[in-house]
Amino acid sequence: MLSTPSSLLPSRDAPAARPDDARADAAGTPPGLRRPLRMPLALFGITLLLIIAHQGRLVEVFYPIGALYVAFYFYRRSPAHYIGFVCWLFFLSPEVRRLADFMSGSFNPKSTVMIAPMLAVALSGFSLITHVSALGQRRSAPLVMIILALFYSFVVGMAQVGPAAALYTLVNWLFPVLIGFRLVVTWQDYPAYHRVLLKTCVYGGLVMGVYGVIQYVQPQPWDVFWLLQSQMESEGHPVPFGLRVMSTMNSSGPFAVTIMYVLLMSLAAGGRLRILMCVFAIPALMFTSVRSGWGGLALGLVYPLAMLDGKSRLRLVGAVVAIAALCAPVMMIDQVSENVLKRFNTVQDIGNDNSYQVRAQFYKEFLSVALTDIAGQGLGTTGLGTKLSDDDTTQLSVVFDSGLMEVPFVMGWPGTLLYASGIAILMWRAFLASRLRPHDRFAICGVGVAIAIFAMMVFVNTLTATSGMFFFIGVLMPVIGLRYAREAPRLAAERAAAKAREPEPAGMAIARAKDAAMASANATRGPA
């Protein structure tokens, strides 16, 4: 979660240490960040009080501003806590929005609560300015290629559908890359990333898993209200055992990817709380009925299992079997087993699966269109951005049922070449880095996450928005972990040498002189 790291090198963006922070620095806490939970808890606590007081419209003003302030505080003080807080905003903001609407008694289709995560994540764009020199380094080359591809598509999209639609879509495609660049330039905080993100996964997965199970068994009034008002028929019926679980997030699709990411990354965690989290998170994933999420979890487990030694592999397999045994009683409930098994049987009988048939027909008809459009259609011609388009005919392109087809359709040949090359280099580097450090389970699990999310591109574009952020976190953790392992000793030595060269404070010099004088006087006087 937002725990204080025990040992890490200071961030390049962190302010210089003050004398008052010497004790905190000695304990491994970033200067000025001795109680990292205080501000996030205050934000969510005040928000909850406003909701209880039926001040839903006030929440729409306070929550985004408060989230931006807390994110800026962490951005300056601790990069790891900043990323952890951004993850929590994506976890909880949709639920805050539903509660605010329910308590105010009216549904707001354009609630400003939902811009809170985007405002927080936008701060990572300042890294492009403060670390502009890093863009010319070889380690940033894949990210630069992806950014160039996105801006090429943005220019094409502005010409096709107007600036509003193109800009909205650019934000969703770009912010995961900005998070990735933030990780690259703050690699020296890798121990803190390891600790904070693991706690974020364990605690976040526990909160979302427990709420997801409750939501499936007995949907809460605010969830029912929001589903009815938003008319999201794809999420099932808001009745017990009839809902596709979305937990605290917007819909079952993003939640399935999120809980999959949490489960895979938590393989690197320890403690009994991880087991408890899995007991609730795995059923919650099953209740989403998102088959791509089920397949992604299974595929993401392959690489971590292959990289472990024999003893650790047996231990992990045993843990998976034990968790499955704990979750098995759930399948004995008729209402649960009927829905899950019905969805699972469609995987075995894809010939009669309507979803598969539609997707296969889409690939057959659209493949030639996507691959023969040299310039591309540009950002804003697919997804929700089409609702802001200057051209009403693009409303037909809202649903795009394949990420692999969306990339060439939007970016054309030039953009696709840059974008695909950047993604491929990132994944190759992550694979090599994890092979060089086989004992770093956190990095290995990151590769598993990247493989799982990329494989889901067959069904939907998972490299944008929240799922894209998880992809870049997973694919870059092995790389910055390897760099930290190689360069941290040198930087620690340089830091120690610089500290030794610092002039001694006047007070300490006087005290040291007094101690020396007293020692000399005692030596001269001799024993009594």
Side-chain angles (χ1 to χ4, degrees):
M1 198 175 168
L2 296 174
S3 65
T4 303
S6 61
S7 61
L8 63 147
L9 294 172
S11 168
R12 294 179 180 177
D13 288 346
R18 301 189 303 264
D20 295 339
D21 295 321
R23 185 177 301 174
D25 184 66
T29 305
L33 194 64
R34 297 174 62 183
R35 298 180 180 88
L37 277 174
R38 183 171 52 188
M39 294 184 67
L41 288 179
L43 170 68
F44 289 112
I46 295 173
T47 301
L48 181 59
L49 291 176
L50 290 174
I51 290 173
I52 295 174
H54 295 266
Q55 300 298 317
R57 295 298 165 252
L58 184 58
V59 170
E60 294 182 354
V61 177
F62 167 77
Y63 184 74
I65 296 175
L68 179 62
Y69 177 78
V70 176
F72 182 74
Y73 174 81
F74 283 135
Y75 179 86
R76 292 292 308 277
R77 299 287 184 175
S78 172
H81 291 87
Y82 165 71
I83 299 295
F85 179 67
V86 167
C87 289
W88 276 103
L89 288 178
F90 278 107
F91 292 166
L92 300 181
S93 293
E95 187 68 13
V96 172
R97 180 253 184 99
R98 292 198 287 269
L99 286 168
D101 283 354
F102 179 76
M103 297 304 285
S104 65
S106 61
F107 174 70
N108 185 1
K110 298 180 180 180
S111 175
T112 55
V113 169
M114 296 306 298
I115 70 172
M118 304 305 295
L119 289 175
V121 81
L123 294 174
S124 59
F126 287 112
S127 297
L128 293 176
I129 301 174
T130 57
H131 297 86
V132 66
S133 59
L135 293 173
Q137 298 175 0
R138 187 177 62 179
R139 61 179 56 92
S140 302
L143 297 177
V144 173
M145 295 169 68
I146 295 172
I147 291 173
L148 290 176
L150 293 179
F151 276 100
Y152 164 79
S153 304
F154 172 69
V155 173
V156 176
M158 276 204 307
Q160 293 277 9
V161 295
L167 182 61
Y168 176 86
T169 310
L170 175 66
V171 171
N172 281 310
W173 285 69
L174 184 60
F175 86 75
V177 188
L178 297 180
I179 289 290
F181 184 74
R182 179 69 177 167
L183 295 174
V184 170
V185 299
T186 57
W187 60 269
Q188 62 270 32
D189 289 299
Y190 178 73
Y193 281 126
H194 183 285
R195 182 175 303 101
V196 172
L197 291 182
L198 276 184
K199 287 184 177 290
T200 299
C201 289
V202 173
Y203 285 97
L206 180 61
V207 170
M208 292 185 292
V210 170
Y211 188 79
V213 172
I214 295 174
Q215 188 181 68
Y216 185 72
V217 176
Q218 183 62 54
Q220 299 304 301
W222 46 87
D223 294 329
V224 174
F225 173 79
W226 187 77
L227 280 173
L228 293 176
Q229 294 296 320
S230 62
Q231 299 180 353
M232 294 181 63
E233 299 179 358
S234 61
E235 298 304 309
H237 304 288
V239 296
F241 305 102
L243 182 69
R244 297 181 65 180
V245 166
M246 56 188 172
S247 188
T248 59
M249 301 192 72
N250 248 343
S251 62
S252 56
F255 172 66
V257 177
T258 301
I259 207 70
M260 179 199 73
Y261 160 80
V262 163
L263 286 167
L264 289 175
M265 293 301 288
S266 64
L267 294 176
R272 298 178 181 178
L273 192 61
R274 178 192 64 170
I275 305 299
L276 181 63
M277 181 272 294
C278 292
V279 169
F280 287 98
I282 292 176
L285 176 60
M286 291 192 302
F287 298 156
T288 62
S289 296
V290 178
R291 294 170 297 182
S292 60
W294 300 349
L297 178 62
L299 191 60
L301 285 171
V302 173
Y303 186 76
L305 285 173
M307 287 292 293
L308 292 175
D309 58 85
K311 184 177 180 180
S312 299
R313 188 180 298 114
L314 288 175
R315 187 180 303 169
L316 179 59
V317 172
V320 172
V321 172
I323 293 171
L326 291 173
C327 297
V330 177
M331 297 301 295
M332 297 180 183
I333 303 174
D334 292 339
Q335 296 95 325
V336 175
S337 59
E338 181 180 353
N339 293 333
V340 174
L341 292 178
K342 181 180 179 181
R343 189 67 172 172
F344 184 77
N345 288 335
T346 61
V347 179
Q348 300 175 330
D349 188 18
I350 60 176
N352 295 322
D353 180 27
N354 182 64
S355 176
Y356 171 79
Q357 297 295 337
V358 171
R359 185 170 284 108
Q361 186 66 21
F362 171 80
Y363 270 95
K364 181 179 179 181
E365 296 177 354
F366 202 75
L367 181 62
S368 60
V369 176
L371 297 182
T372 55
D373 189 353
I374 298 177
Q377 295 297 307
L379 295 176
T381 55
T382 62
L384 294 177
T386 56
K387 295 183 179 181
L388 302 175
S389 173
D390 294 341
D391 184 3
D392 293 337
T393 61
T394 58
Q395 293 286 338
L396 300 175
S397 301
V398 171
V399 179
F400 211 104
D401 217 11
S402 170
L404 295 179
M405 290 293 99
E406 184 175 4
V407 171
F409 175 78
V410 169
M411 298 186 174
W413 290 13
T416 300
L417 179 62
L418 287 170
Y419 192 83
S421 298
I423 296 295
I425 294 173
L426 285 175
M427 296 190 68
W428 179 247
R429 286 183 176 180
F431 173 75
L432 293 180
S434 65
R435 295 287 295 176
L436 292 173
R437 301 185 69 227
H439 300 295
D440 188 350
R441 295 185 182 180
F442 184 64
I444 291 172
C445 292
V447 177
V449 166
I451 293 173
I453 292 179
F454 182 78
M456 294 171 69
M457 285 284 287
V458 175
F459 306 100
V460 67
N461 190 352
T462 50
L463 299 185
T464 64
T466 311
S467 58
M469 179 180 71
F470 296 145
F471 171 82
F472 280 93
I473 290 175
V475 83
L476 286 169
M477 278 301 155
V479 178
I480 67 173
L482 177 62
R483 187 181 180 191
Y484 178 86
R486 288 176 172 176
E487 299 192 25
R490 175 181 60 82
L491 291 179
E494 291 179 356
R495 181 186 176 187
K499 191 173 182 179
R501 290 193 298 268
E502 291 179 357
E504 192 175 38
M508 293 184 63
I510 294 173
R512 192 183 300 276
K514 288 182 178 179
D515 292 341
M518 291 180 62
S520 177
N522 291 336
T524 303
R525 189 180 302 114

